[in-house]
Amino acid sequence: MPEPLLQVENLLVRFADPHRPGGELRAVDGVSLTVQPGEILGLVGESGSGKTTLGKTVLRLHEPAGGRILLRGLDLTHLSEAALRPHRRAMQMVFQDPLSSFNPRQTIGTAVATPLKLHRLCTRAELPERVAQILDEVGLPAAFAERYPHQMSGGQLQRAAIGRALALKPELIVADEAVSKLDVSVRAQILNLLRAVQARSNLAMIFITHDLHVARFLCHRIGVMHFGKLLEIGPTEQVFEAPQHDYTRALLGTVHGSVARDVRIPA
Ligand SMILES: Nc1ncnc2c1ncn2[C@@H]1O[C@H](COP(=O)(O)OP(=O)(O)O)[C@@H](O)[C@H]1O
Ligand SMILES: [Mg+2]
């Protein structure tokens, strides 16, 4: 086994419980997992099971109440914001709703160029060419650099969001329900894009989805979340064919039993 890219050890994240004044809920409750370089780990589970909180805490967007987060063996858990900054570039997030992750008054070109400038990844003179290259990598024409977010479809915007994240050459992307709002045909295109990108750049991904079909298509391993706990984790086919836990069986049962859902995804 190579050294894991990411190690999460006994992670605990607490929030105030809105239903019990003074009470707290454990959104993430003692989760341990690893992600290898170039691996896509799926996190599945019902709404409220703690998937998003886990993903965000890995990126230190929430403060954990306990446990550790290690990137390439380096403990990020208690690094100050300043000490964390050089490592932020290595971990990027792609969200469900691409429209809300772009500034409506900024062109797509500016949105993609801004992080490149901030992290000094290319010179001012190289920027237009680099932006065009990034758009091309995610299947968008260079002319789209001039467009504003409202002039693009959901699928095109999600491509741009993926491009913006890739521009920083991250080692890990946390994609949170990144295809959930897209039409079925567009969803398949974006999934294929993610798979191609991951294979091309040996990128690792935590792919959060409530959609088990999508997880099965894309992910090497799958972790099942339930009430903040990681119930089981294993190679995708093993989780689907020989689930270890009653809850996982129930979750899969709702999928096998679901009717008239178009789940065909072209290879
Ligand atoms: N910022 C927050 N403040 C308070 N409670 C939160 C916050 N984010 C999530 N929660 C709670 O934590 C639990 C897990 O939520 P979440 O991580 O969003 O689950 P999922 O992504 O699996 O739907 C839920 O009970 C949710 O209400
Ligand atoms: Mg979520």
Side-chain angles (χ1 to χ4, degrees):
M1 269 276 194
E3 187 195 28
L5 174 66
L6 176 75
Q7 286 165 271
V8 171
E9 295 174 357
N10 206 16
L11 200 66
L12 175 65
V13 185
R14 296 195 194 110
F15 292 122
D17 187 340
H19 303 294
R20 290 185 302 138
E24 56 178 34
L25 58 86
R26 296 179 164 211
V28 176
D29 191 0
V31 168
S32 299
L33 55 80
T34 60
V35 180
Q36 298 296 330
E39 180 182 44
I40 306 183
L41 173 67
L43 285 182
V44 303
E46 290 167 281
S47 175
S49 58
K51 305 181 299 293
T52 295
T53 305
L54 174 55
K56 284 188 163 176
T57 308
V58 162
L59 305 192
R60 282 279 312 269
L61 300 174
H62 290 305
E63 287 304 311
R68 298 203 305 164
I69 304 150
L70 295 94
L71 185 71
R72 275 182 267 89
L74 175 75
D75 191 341
L76 303 181
T77 324
H78 303 292
L79 287 188
S80 68
E81 197 49 47
L84 199 58
R85 203 165 298 134
H87 307 287
R88 283 238 178 259
R89 188 180 67 82
M91 305 187 292
Q92 296 294 315
M93 191 144 182
V94 175
F95 296 96
Q96 175 171 17
D97 183 6
L99 192 56
S100 66
S101 66
F102 284 96
N103 179 340
R105 282 183 289 274
Q106 230 177 32
T107 62
I108 295 305
T110 305
V112 171
T114 301
L116 291 174
K117 278 194 270 190
L118 281 177
H119 290 271
R120 299 178 199 283
L121 290 181
C122 66
T123 66
R124 187 171 289 272
E126 289 165 345
L127 266 179
E129 164 114 38
R130 184 73 190 109
V131 168
Q133 206 176 29
I134 289 162
L135 293 180
D136 183 59
E137 278 170 30
V138 294
L140 293 175
F144 274 47
E146 305 303 322
R147 292 204 181 183
Y148 287 89
H150 71 270
Q151 297 171 311
M152 292 168 64
S153 71
Q156 289 165 345
L157 268 181
Q158 200 57 299
R159 285 177 188 273
I162 293 165
R164 184 175 54 179
L166 291 177
L168 298 175
K169 300 200 184 305
E171 292 170 271
L172 176 71
I173 283 187
V174 176
D176 190 2
E177 303 282 4
V179 299
S180 304
K181 278 202 162 177
L182 305 174
D183 296 340
V184 170
S185 63
V186 180
R187 182 181 306 167
Q189 291 170 15
I190 299 295
L191 286 173
N192 282 324
L193 172 68
L194 285 171
R195 199 146 90 157
V197 157
Q198 181 273 332
R200 195 158 63 208
S201 48
N202 199 39
L203 184 67
M205 216 180 301
I206 294 179
F207 189 86
I208 296 171
T209 180
H210 66 276
D211 187 327
L212 289 145
H213 299 285
V214 164
R216 189 175 199 169
F217 172 78
L218 191 68
C219 302
H220 301 115
R221 283 191 304 144
I222 288 181
V224 181
M225 300 271 307
H226 186 50
F227 288 129
K229 290 193 163 40
L230 187 66
L231 278 193
E232 68 177 284
I233 185 166
T236 299
E237 284 314 300
Q238 183 183 308
V239 170
F240 273 85
E241 298 302 332
Q244 299 297 301
H245 215 281
D246 283 344
Y247 176 76
T248 309
R249 271 189 285 276
L251 201 64
L252 293 173
T254 63
V255 178
H256 295 317
S258 68
V259 280
R261 285 212 39 202
D262 190 344
V263 296
R264 282 164 301 157
I265 296 167

